[in-house]
Amino acid sequence: MNVLHIDSGILGDHSVSRRLTAALVTQIKADRPDAKVTYRDLVSERLPHLTGAQIMAPADLNGVDPALASDIRVGRQMLEEFLAADTIVVGAPMYNFSIPSQLKAWIDRLAVAGKTFRYTEAGPEGLAKGKRVIVASTRGGHYSAGPASAMDHQESYLRTIFGFFGITDVEFVRAEGLNLGADQKQFAIAEAEKTIAEGNVLRLAS
Ligand SMILES: Cc1cc2nc3c(=O)[nH]c(=O)nc-3n(C[C@H](O)[C@H](O)[C@H](O)COP(=O)(O)O)c2cc1C
């Protein structure tokens, strides 16, 4: 079993999503000691934004500018890791109603025609079927119910893009209201950790 563990929160040791992805991966490893975990910290690795030069570069990188070639190789490696994974654990805080730009930069390297999707006469088809995605979703406010749910471009986007890649098994472990006071923060984290500890996510990892 291959697990891909992705973190994108910029708050280091203060990051709740990092704490939750670590708990998820620990739980998965306890359930499946044979699991091979690949870890990417998208903040410390500083993956550059997608550029036209990357897209227009030839498949054979011999002769391509060394800095550009190196950048493309990192992106290709990330795509291969994604394609090789059975379960992908993603730490995704809500930033400005959406996802961190670091996480978007990673997704931009995954969205490659012929690898994760293709267009057919019947419309787009996802090519990364059969994977499981578990997202540790953190938010300062509340968006899972009520009028503010229309402002959620974080979970809705992640469900859309992974669905576009053909992944229908997308689960969210959520801690929200994290900026609404110490009590609410503690409560939200405890609830998310309880969800993980109760094994609801182990079902996904089995
Ligand atoms: C740059 C930035 C932008 C944020 N934007 C929002 C936002 O639009 N809505 C919201 O509810 N919380 C927002 N927050 C709060 C975070 O979602 C919350 O603090 C979360 O816990 C941070 O992620 P992490 O602790 O998982 O790393 C923002 C935090 C940061 C640092």
Side-chain angles (χ1 to χ4, degrees):
M1 179 195 196
N2 285 329
V3 177
L4 180 57
H5 176 181
I6 300 291
D7 273 327
S8 65
I10 60 175
L11 302 179
D13 291 343
H14 299 284
S15 167
V16 176
S17 59
R18 285 173 181 267
R19 180 167 158 179
L20 297 179
T21 61
L24 284 162
V25 172
T26 299
Q27 192 80 310
I28 291 169
K29 284 285 282 179
D31 184 50
R32 293 285 300 266
D34 62 318
K36 179 179 171 291
V37 180
T38 301
Y39 180 60
R40 287 279 183 186
D41 182 336
L42 300 179
V43 177
S44 64
E45 294 197 41
R46 288 181 175 275
L47 180 67
H49 286 168
L50 191 66
T51 64
Q54 293 163 11
I55 291 174
M56 289 182 281
D60 180 354
L61 296 176
N62 283 326
V64 170
D65 169 74
L68 176 60
S70 158
D71 184 19
I72 292 170
R73 283 193 189 95
V74 171
R76 287 181 183 172
Q77 173 69 25
M78 290 190 172
L79 174 58
E80 291 309 315
E81 289 165 1
F82 178 78
L83 293 173
D86 309 294
T87 297
I88 301 121
V89 176
V90 181
M94 176 185 275
Y95 287 168
N96 303 316
F97 304 102
S98 181
I99 59 171
S101 56
Q102 290 88 346
L103 186 57
K104 179 63 164 54
W106 176 72
I107 289 170
D108 285 342
R109 304 300 183 110
L110 307 183
V112 176
K115 295 284 189 180
T116 46
F117 71 94
R118 66 176 175 173
Y119 284 107
T120 70
E121 286 179 3
E125 180 191 0
L127 300 177
K129 298 183 180 87
K131 298 181 189 303
R132 287 166 168 171
V133 174
I134 307 168
V135 179
S137 164
T138 52
R139 294 135 162 215
H142 285 282
Y143 302 87
S144 57
S149 58
M151 293 188 257
D152 166 26
H153 305 286
Q154 170 217 17
E155 291 188 12
S156 61
Y157 170 70
L158 291 170
R159 198 179 285 286
T160 298
I161 191 70
F162 288 123
F164 182 71
F165 294 162
I167 305 173
T168 53
D169 197 348
V170 182
E171 175 108 352
F172 291 90
V173 178
R174 181 182 301 134
E176 60 180 349
L178 293 172
N179 290 359
L180 301 179
D183 287 352
Q184 168 58 26
K185 180 173 182 175
Q186 202 179 4
F187 173 77
I189 294 171
E191 285 294 299
E193 289 184 332
K194 187 161 153 262
T195 300
I196 295 168
E198 278 172 351
N200 295 337
V201 180
L202 279 184
R203 178 190 60 78
L204 284 166
S206 62

